């Protein structure tokens, strides 16, 4: 298990040091928090790509890549993740711990310097990003937005959530829109970025075999860009479903139909009911022993995959399955029957125990992956329940079968989305 | 027979033992990890569809997709499926089939001994009935349909059909909806008896476990089953002509932009072991120099908007086939193809310098060290290389030992005239934004 220490750094940055000796690498993740808003999501998703094109010290992509490779293949990446109605922009660097490199020292400091350099010292032309970088990254970003359709399962999932949360911030696509993208120029994007950097609350997570105090000193020295962390982030709206179920059907020339059901649970991470809901989801569709896998796949042979999963910060659950378009009615009926059966109390001791064991396994295994260690801390911090593995295991162990049935009654179907193949579309 | 493979730079060691009748067992102890991960692999993949077993006269040709079908069916047992037995112990189990191997695996945190026993038992207890085989066809057909809609999968297999005329690597691992209809319990049993003999298999365990206990448990489990010695399996691959089968394969799918895969076919095949491993490492290094993210070519293509950061170049080295694949999504597959060919010619003319070689050696070594965080990476790769007579641990030394002369030689010869083919996916219709 990793040992977590937390420091408040000068300039309002929170530092989390996850100290563990099991990894050969160190992961440093700098996380900025932003409210998820239609009007600035596109700019938020675009500027990290511009930053990765080069910095004052390494002004081209090639020089930056060469420098990282020189540091034993250290990797710098950026990602945008939606957690509830909040957008997290992360810049990560993953490096080999120099304990494994004979004769090497100070690799972490050099990598953190690059991370800070890329985030805070971009290549500029006056009060603007370099025009060439912005126009090229706009073109790349346009492909990212349009590229959603390339993975049909991911597309169907996103479309279901967009339909379901059309009137809520959560329905916003994290990469933004083509219309917004067209309005972004080197000047206004740079202005946005400066405000983003100054205002957004920011955390730094470091996971690996490191000395916490040494890391604290490094971080204070290296991440010295001015910031006030003053931006406000509204609380994610979690609501219960009370209206009619919506049915959305879309046609595309595909071989396999994708069925996605969106449910509202009214329960988010950090609530007392969250662990019962986690058990509920596991019993329904989290595992190969779950009701969905057994009934949709093993018994009815309708699908290769059928699972459910939680959107833990928004109080949603989705069920997803790839089926033959003609089996839509049958598959929907079988899925609905599984959902109803839990609410009716049909949970065997074996289903309950297997799910508990499986979730326990998941929690323990998270400790073996640096990015999951960090992600769990981010989730915990967001929900105000930052707990270690033992604490989470205890919460899981406290769940009783009655609790599962109780939360099952709150899980209500909101939207059924079906991506159907066109008739005669199969070659 | 037993031994230890050590690597001082990785600070890891693998203990191994050969248990009767010829099963190789490997254990990599990893202190500090909660997860314990084990694979039981058969040297049997989608390309093994034509074979003879020593002592039998019959030459067998089996339907495409049979190795993968068998993988699905081994999870079924009388009165239930194996997933549930693992689930009771909080473990998760899975399996995968590729061109060359089939692997069964579990991951657990507790009850490791019981889980290992289940893994050994179920892989050694085939139970196929007509009814259960029929039922599986619906599931596998949906798996095949899912891949038919995957542009990355399609561009890859289309390239293989362009590169290869005869070799079964050109066929989809799962077969086709038509080929799997021909599979019945009899053919599954035949393949099982041939390829799932312990002497054609390997066990790999990684995690915080005691190696000696693993060895004795496996020896005891396998030993009580009364295996007879298996004769040599003769795998038959039709002679593959050197030139690619076709220049280019084009398919239309619902995608937002085209995809190009460019493939170079290996001309010298028929050997494995350290020689093959060295050539694989050598080719990987050449690709990193020419197409890697710090290369001039990569950056020029990126700035021209012809590639994105998913662009990649990778090499595959097997005993009877090998190829290099280069490509990704692009707005202009013809232009990208032309620019890649020009870039290769320019790199060949200029050659790789000693400085660039040292730089990429250091990078690849760092990446290999990083990958050893992942128990899955280790356990999935080690047995596959072992079946080719390769010690996967030796990668660092192999990379370090590559010379400038051989790098430049490989750069000149691997990208020769007449050994490449292309696969292109084009957008079928304008999808909505």
């Amino acid at each position: 298990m990793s040992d977590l220490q937390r420091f408040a750094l000068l300039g309002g940055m929170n530092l989390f040091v996850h100290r563990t000796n099991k990894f050969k690498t160190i992961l440093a993740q700098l996380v900025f928090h932003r409210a998820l808003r239609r009007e600035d999501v596109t700019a938020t998703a675009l500027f990290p790509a511009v930053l990765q094109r080069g910095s004052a010290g390494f002004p081209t992509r090639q020089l930056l890549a060469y420098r990282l490779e020189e540091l034993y293949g250290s990797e710098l990446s950026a990602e945008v993740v939606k957690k509830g109605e909040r957008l997290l922009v992360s810049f990560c660097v993953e490096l080999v711990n120099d304990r494994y490199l004979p004769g090497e020292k100070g690799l972490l400091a050099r990598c953190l310097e690059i991370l800070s350099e890329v985030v805070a010292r971009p290549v500029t032309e006056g009060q603007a990003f370099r025009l060439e970088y912005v126009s090229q990254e706009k073109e790349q970003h346009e492909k990212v937005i349009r590229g959603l359709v390339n993975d049909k399962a991911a597309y169907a999932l996103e479309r279901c959530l967009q339909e379901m949360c059309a009137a809520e911030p959560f329905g916003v696509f994290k990469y933004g829109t083509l219309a917004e993208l067209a309005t972004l120029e080197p000047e206004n994007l740079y202005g946005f970025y400066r405000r983003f950097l100054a205002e957004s609350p920011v955390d730094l997570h470091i996971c690996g075999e490191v000395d916490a105090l040494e890391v604290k000193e490094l971080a204070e020295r290296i991440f010295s860009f001015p910031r006030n962390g003053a931006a406000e982030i509204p609380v994610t709206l979690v609501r219960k479903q009370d209206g009619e179920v919506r049915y959305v059907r879309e046609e595309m020339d595909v071989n396999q139909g994708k069925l996605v059901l969106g449910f509202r649970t009214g329960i988010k991470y950090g609530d007392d009911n969250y662990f019962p809901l986690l058990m509920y989801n596991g019993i329904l569709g989290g595992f190969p022993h779950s009701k969905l896998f057994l009934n949709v796949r093993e018994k009815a042979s309708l699908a290769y995959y059928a699972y459910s999963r939680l959107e833990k910060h928004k109080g949603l659950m989705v069920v997803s399955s790839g089926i033959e378009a003609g089996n839509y009615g049958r598959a929907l009926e079988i899925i609905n029957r599984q959902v109803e059966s839990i609410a009716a109390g049909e949970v065997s001791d074996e289903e309950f125990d297997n799910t508990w064991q499986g979730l326990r396994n998941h929690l323990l295994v998270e400790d073996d992956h640096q990015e999951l260690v960090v992600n769990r801390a981010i989730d915990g911090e967001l929900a105000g329940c930052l707990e270690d593995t033992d604490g989470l295991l205890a919460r899981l162990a406290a769940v009783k079968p009655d609790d599962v049935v109780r939360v099952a009654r709150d899980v209500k179907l909101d939207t059924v989305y079906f991506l159907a193949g066109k008739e005669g579309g199969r070659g | 027979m037993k031994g230890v493979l050590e690597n001082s730079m990785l600070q890891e060691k693998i203990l191994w033992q050969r248990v009767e009748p010829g099963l190789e067992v490997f254990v990599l102890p990893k202190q500090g990890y909660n997860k314990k991960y084990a694979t039981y692999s058969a040297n049997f993949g989608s390309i093994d569809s034509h074979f003879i077993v020593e002592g039998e006269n019959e030459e067998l040709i089996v339907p495409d997709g049979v190795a993968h079908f068998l993988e699905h069916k081994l999870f079924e047992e009388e009165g239930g499926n194996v997933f549930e037995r693992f689930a009771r112990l909080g473990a998760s189990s899975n399996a995968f089939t590729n061109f060359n191997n089939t692997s069964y695996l579990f991951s657990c945190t507790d009850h490791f001994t019981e889980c290992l026993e289940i893994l050994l038992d179920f892989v050694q207890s085939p139970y196929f009935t007509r009814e259960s085989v029929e039922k599986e066809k619906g599931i596998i057909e949906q798996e095949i349909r899912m891949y038919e809609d995957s542009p990355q999968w399609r561009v890859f297999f289309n390239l293989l059909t362009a590169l290869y005329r005869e070799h079964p690597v050109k066929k989809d691992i799962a077969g086709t909806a038509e080929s799997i209809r021909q599979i019945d319990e009899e053919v599954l049993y035949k393949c099982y008896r041939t390829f799932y003999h312990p002497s054609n298999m390997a066990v790999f365990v990684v995690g915080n476990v005691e190696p000696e206990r693993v060895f004795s448990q496996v020896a005891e489990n396998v030993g009580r089953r009364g295996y007879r010695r298996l004769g040599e399996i003769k795998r038959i691959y039709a002679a593959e002509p050197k030139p690619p089968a076709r220049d280019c394969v084009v398919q239309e799918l619902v995608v937002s932009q085209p995809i190009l895969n460019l493939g170079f076919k290996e001309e010298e095949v028929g050997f494995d072991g350290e020689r093959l491993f060295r050539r694989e490492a050598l080719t990987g290094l050449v690709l990193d120099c020419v197409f890697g993210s710090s290369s001039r070519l990569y950056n020029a293509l990126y700035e021209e908007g012809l590639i994105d950061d998913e662009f990649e170049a990778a090499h595959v080295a097997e005993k009877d086939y090998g190829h290099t694949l280069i490509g990704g999504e692009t707005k202009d597959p013809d232009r990208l193809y032309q620019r890649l060919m020009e870039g290769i010619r320019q790199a060949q003319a200029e050659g790789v310098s000693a400085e660039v070689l040292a730089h990429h050696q250091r990078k690849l070594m760092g990446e290999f060290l990083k990958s050893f965080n992942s128990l899955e990476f280790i356990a999935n790769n080690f047995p596959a290389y072992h079946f080719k007579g390769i010690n996967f641990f030796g990668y660092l030394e192999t990379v370090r030992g590559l010379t400038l002369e051989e790098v430049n030689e490989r750069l000149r010869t691997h990208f020769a005239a007449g050994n490449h083919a292309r696969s292109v996916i084009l957008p079928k219709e304008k999808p909505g934004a």
Side-chain angles (χ1 to χ4, degrees):
Chain A
M1 193 179 301
S2 64
D3 146 58
L4 174 60
Q5 278 185 275
R6 187 185 166 145
F7 304 93
L9 301 190
L10 298 171
M13 181 189 280
N14 294 309
L15 170 67
F16 299 81
V17 181
H18 308 264
R19 217 163 50 78
T20 157
N21 60 8
K22 70 173 98 169
F23 304 113
K24 296 192 195 308
T25 57
I26 300 172
L27 173 68
Q29 185 168 344
L30 188 65
V31 189
F32 292 92
H33 298 246
R34 188 87 185 164
L36 180 60
R37 274 190 299 251
R38 213 165 286 275
E39 57 271 23
D40 61 19
V41 66
T42 316
T44 307
L46 177 64
F47 84 78
V50 176
L51 297 185
Q52 286 174 280
R53 290 302 301 273
S55 62
F58 305 98
T60 68
R61 197 182 197 290
Q62 189 174 8
L63 287 169
L64 185 59
Y66 196 84
R67 177 61 181 153
L68 287 162
E69 287 180 357
E70 211 165 43
L71 300 174
Y72 296 88
S74 297
E75 277 170 277
L76 181 79
S77 60
E79 61 168 9
V80 178
V81 174
K82 196 157 83 170
K83 284 193 186 281
E85 285 161 353
R86 175 185 290 241
L87 211 52
L88 301 189
V89 180
S90 287
F91 295 87
C92 303
V93 63
E94 193 197 2
L95 58 134
V96 178
N97 193 324
D98 52 27
R99 302 170 56 96
Y100 290 91
L101 300 167
E104 275 295 339
K105 260 166 60 184
L107 200 58
L108 175 62
R110 276 175 280 162
C111 285
L112 291 181
E113 276 159 10
I114 294 179
L115 183 63
S116 173
E117 158 97 16
V118 165
V119 169
R121 294 183 64 219
V123 181
T124 53
E125 291 166 349
Q127 285 301 304
F129 285 122
R130 181 176 283 179
L131 171 63
E132 188 192 348
Y133 290 174
V134 172
S135 50
Q136 286 169 1
E137 291 307 323
K138 276 174 72 177
E139 192 184 328
Q140 293 283 4
H141 197 70
E142 180 178 337
K143 291 180 202 163
V144 170
I145 293 173
R146 290 188 190 278
L148 174 64
V149 73
N150 296 341
D151 178 340
K152 305 299 179 276
Y155 174 80
L157 203 59
E158 178 69 27
R159 288 284 301 117
C160 179
L161 292 171
Q162 283 177 4
E163 289 286 340
M164 187 169 164
C165 302
E168 299 158 74
F170 194 76
V172 172
F173 183 38
K174 68 175 183 174
Y175 293 125
T177 63
L178 296 177
E180 279 289 323
L181 186 64
T183 68
L184 297 173
E185 301 298 342
E187 297 76 22
N188 64 10
L189 187 63
Y190 183 73
F192 175 81
Y193 151 76
R194 298 299 325 177
R195 286 195 303 283
F196 182 98
L197 201 63
E199 296 167 3
S200 303
V202 58
D203 304 325
L204 175 65
H205 290 263
I206 308 267
C207 180
E209 192 170 0
V210 293
D211 181 276
L213 289 175
E214 228 170 82
V215 166
K216 176 175 177 280
E217 275 173 30
L218 275 181
E220 264 178 343
R221 173 172 69 77
I222 294 170
F223 295 94
S224 57
F225 53 86
R227 54 188 180 262
N228 57 38
E232 291 208 6
I233 303 176
V235 173
T236 297
L237 176 75
V238 175
R239 65 176 183 84
K240 294 192 173 182
Q241 153 72 351
D242 41 19
E244 291 282 300
V245 176
R246 285 190 60 210
Y247 292 84
V248 180
R249 185 185 173 97
E250 191 175 342
E251 290 199 345
M252 197 183 272
D253 197 350
V254 290
N255 288 293
Q256 184 179 68
K258 306 287 184 201
L259 178 58
V260 182
L261 283 70
F263 295 82
R264 292 189 191 268
T265 68
I267 300 164
K268 63 178 191 311
Y269 195 49
D271 291 352
D272 288 343
N273 275 334
Y274 180 74
F275 277 85
L277 180 69
L278 188 65
M279 282 291 293
Y280 167 88
N281 176 65
I283 291 165
L284 179 67
F287 298 93
H289 69 258
S290 303
K291 289 180 186 287
L292 291 176
F293 189 89
L294 288 181
N295 288 285
V296 180
R297 174 175 151 140
E298 294 297 303
K299 287 197 184 136
S301 291
L302 290 182
Y304 171 64
Y305 72 90
Y307 68 85
S308 64
R309 102 168 182 221
L310 300 175
E311 294 282 340
K312 69 169 80 152
H313 295 289
K314 177 62 183 168
L316 306 179
M317 180 181 78
V318 288
V319 167
S320 175
S321 185
I323 56 169
E324 188 83 51
N327 288 328
Y328 168 80
R330 251 181 94 202
L332 187 58
E333 194 211 319
I334 295 174
I335 293 168
N336 279 327
R337 207 187 311 138
Q338 306 318 309
V339 173
E340 286 156 17
S341 73
I342 305 183
E346 291 169 29
V347 176
S348 70
D349 290 349
E350 189 171 12
E351 285 174 311
F352 188 86
D353 290 344
N354 291 354
T355 300
W356 174 72
Q357 293 266 18
L359 290 171
R360 188 179 130 69
N361 184 45
H362 281 187
L363 287 171
L364 285 166
V365 161
E366 281 179 358
D367 280 337
D368 293 343
H369 298 268
Q370 278 172 316
E371 67 285 3
L372 298 182
V373 169
V374 171
N375 190 52
R376 180 199 281 176
I378 293 172
D379 282 339
E381 182 69 7
L382 277 187
C385 61
L386 190 54
E387 279 190 85
D388 64 9
T389 310
D390 286 340
L392 297 172
L393 288 172
R395 282 177 182 273
L396 184 70
V399 179
K400 301 281 174 287
D402 287 350
D403 301 326
V404 173
V405 176
R406 181 166 45 78
V407 298
R409 296 189 182 126
D410 289 334
V411 177
K412 295 275 191 267
L413 183 57
D414 183 296
T415 299
V416 176
Y417 171 89
F418 189 49
L419 179 67
K422 282 185 176 160
E423 271 182 73
R426 172 174 307 162
Chain B
M1 283 236 291
K2 61 199 288 184
V4 182
L5 301 167
E6 272 187 271
N7 189 293
S8 58
M9 194 167 173
L10 286 168
Q11 297 179 31
E12 304 277 11
K13 65 178 176 187
I14 291 180
L15 294 91
W16 65 271
Q17 192 164 325
R18 185 176 299 146
V19 308
E20 283 305 315
L23 175 66
E24 308 264 5
V25 185
F26 301 90
V27 181
L28 192 158
K30 270 269 196 189
Q31 264 82 45
Y33 277 73
N34 292 329
K35 185 191 292 191
K36 299 163 182 87
Y37 187 88
T39 60
Y40 193 4
S41 309
N43 187 3
F44 176 44
S46 65
I47 66 169
D48 300 308
S49 56
H50 188 180
F51 52 89
I52 316 174
V53 181
E54 192 183 297
E56 294 179 17
N57 301 320
E58 197 190 357
E59 212 175 272
L60 263 183
I61 298 179
V62 295
D64 294 333
V66 78
H68 172 258
F69 204 107
L70 182 52
E71 173 229 296
H72 272 236
K73 285 326 293 175
L74 267 193
F75 280 91
E76 191 147 312
E77 50 193 5
E78 204 163 359
N81 76 45
V82 178
F83 291 123
E84 290 175 45
R85 284 207 281 151
F86 280 111
R88 263 174 238 141
L89 301 171
S92 61
S93 59
N94 211 333
F96 59 86
T97 306
N98 58 32
F99 295 111
N100 304 284
N101 315 125
T102 312
S103 286
Y104 300 85
L105 58 96
F106 71 83
S107 144
C108 71
T109 48
D110 302 311
H111 310 295
F112 171 76
T113 304
E114 292 101 308
C115 289
L116 182 60
E117 201 66 11
I118 297 175
L119 177 70
L120 296 168
D121 284 347
F122 94 81
V123 176
Q124 294 180 95
S125 314
Y127 173 75
F128 314 131
T129 62
R130 170 148 304 178
E131 191 193 1
S132 75
V133 168
E134 285 309 309
K135 191 208 73 180
E136 203 68 24
K137 291 178 182 175
I139 297 170
I140 295 179
E141 185 175 338
Q142 284 311 312
E143 188 177 0
I144 291 170
R145 296 288 179 223
M146 181 176 83
Y147 282 110
E148 283 175 353
D149 286 332
S150 163
Q152 295 300 340
W153 190 258
R154 288 312 323 152
V155 76
F156 170 63
F157 272 96
N158 289 348
L159 180 65
L160 294 180
T161 63
L163 284 176
Y164 295 93
R165 205 178 288 270
E166 302 292 342
H167 197 281
V169 68
K170 71 179 185 173
K171 292 175 177 173
D172 205 316
I173 291 163
T176 63
E178 294 69 38
S179 75
I180 64 165
R181 285 192 196 112
Q182 300 159 31
I183 293 173
D184 57 21
E185 66 279 18
E186 197 184 327
V187 71
L188 293 178
Y189 276 118
K190 268 186 188 156
C191 289
Y192 183 85
R193 281 193 292 265
T194 303
F195 293 102
Y196 281 68
H197 188 275
S199 62
N200 193 47
M201 301 183 75
V203 171
F204 193 97
V205 174
V206 55
N208 193 2
V209 297
E210 282 178 45
E212 289 305 325
R213 284 185 58 181
V214 173
F215 295 138
S216 57
Q217 187 183 351
V218 176
E220 196 279 322
N221 185 301
V222 175
R224 67 175 178 244
R225 291 170 196 271
Y227 284 103
R228 290 182 303 141
R229 189 185 152 272
L230 178 75
E232 192 198 346
I233 305 165
K234 193 167 176 220
R235 300 160 201 253
I236 300 165
Y237 307 114
E240 174 65 32
K242 285 192 176 179
R246 297 154 79 179
D247 288 339
C248 186
V249 175
V250 180
Q251 185 183 357
E252 290 188 357
L253 285 174
V254 181
V255 289
S256 60
Q257 65 167 336
I259 309 173
L260 170 74
N261 269 11
L262 171 61
F264 289 85
K265 185 173 176 180
E266 192 63 71
E267 295 193 341
E268 298 297 320
V269 293
F271 56 90
D272 56 10
E274 296 307 321
R275 185 178 161 206
L276 183 66
F277 196 37
R278 188 173 183 89
R279 195 183 65 194
E280 182 183 348
L282 178 63
T283 314
L285 191 132
V286 167
L287 295 177
D288 208 41
C289 292
V290 179
F291 304 101
S293 63
S294 70
S295 68
R296 191 175 47 197
L297 180 60
Y298 178 101
N299 286 282
L301 297 173
Y302 187 91
E303 283 165 22
E304 289 164 44
L306 284 170
I307 61 170
D308 58 30
D309 54 14
E310 307 276 307
F311 174 84
E312 63 173 355
H315 182 68
V316 166
E318 296 297 333
K319 182 170 180 239
D320 293 292
Y321 65 91
H323 45 252
T324 286
L325 303 184
I326 304 161
E329 294 185 16
T330 179
K331 62 183 175 191
D332 188 343
D334 292 336
R335 175 90 186 121
L336 177 57
Y337 167 59
Q338 191 192 342
R339 292 283 287 110
L340 286 170
M341 296 306 285
E342 282 169 17
I344 290 166
R345 280 194 290 274
Q346 194 180 357
Q348 286 173 324
E350 290 171 1
V352 169
S353 69
E355 188 197 341
V356 169
L357 169 63
H359 174 87
H360 287 275
Q361 280 171 319
R362 177 195 274 227
K363 177 203 163 195
L364 292 175
M365 285 160 58
E367 283 181 348
F368 192 73
L369 277 168
K370 281 196 277 179
S371 61
F372 266 72
N373 275 350
S374 162
L375 306 191
E376 291 83 351
F377 172 83
I378 304 167
N380 294 344
N381 276 289
F382 195 93
Y385 280 92
H386 169 72
F387 288 134
K388 295 190 267 187
I390 293 166
N391 169 16
F392 190 54
F393 262 19
Y395 179 80
L396 291 171
E397 281 66 34
T398 305
V399 167
R400 203 156 29 184
L402 297 174
T403 67
L404 191 58
E405 196 183 5
E406 63 187 331
V407 167
N408 281 310
E409 169 71 14
R410 182 68 174 159
L411 173 58
R412 276 192 301 275
T413 54
H414 184 48
F415 306 103
N419 71 339
H420 74 270
R422 268 175 301 156
S423 165
V424 176
I425 299 291
L426 294 175
K428 187 177 255 177
E429 62 192 68
K430 216 175 158 56

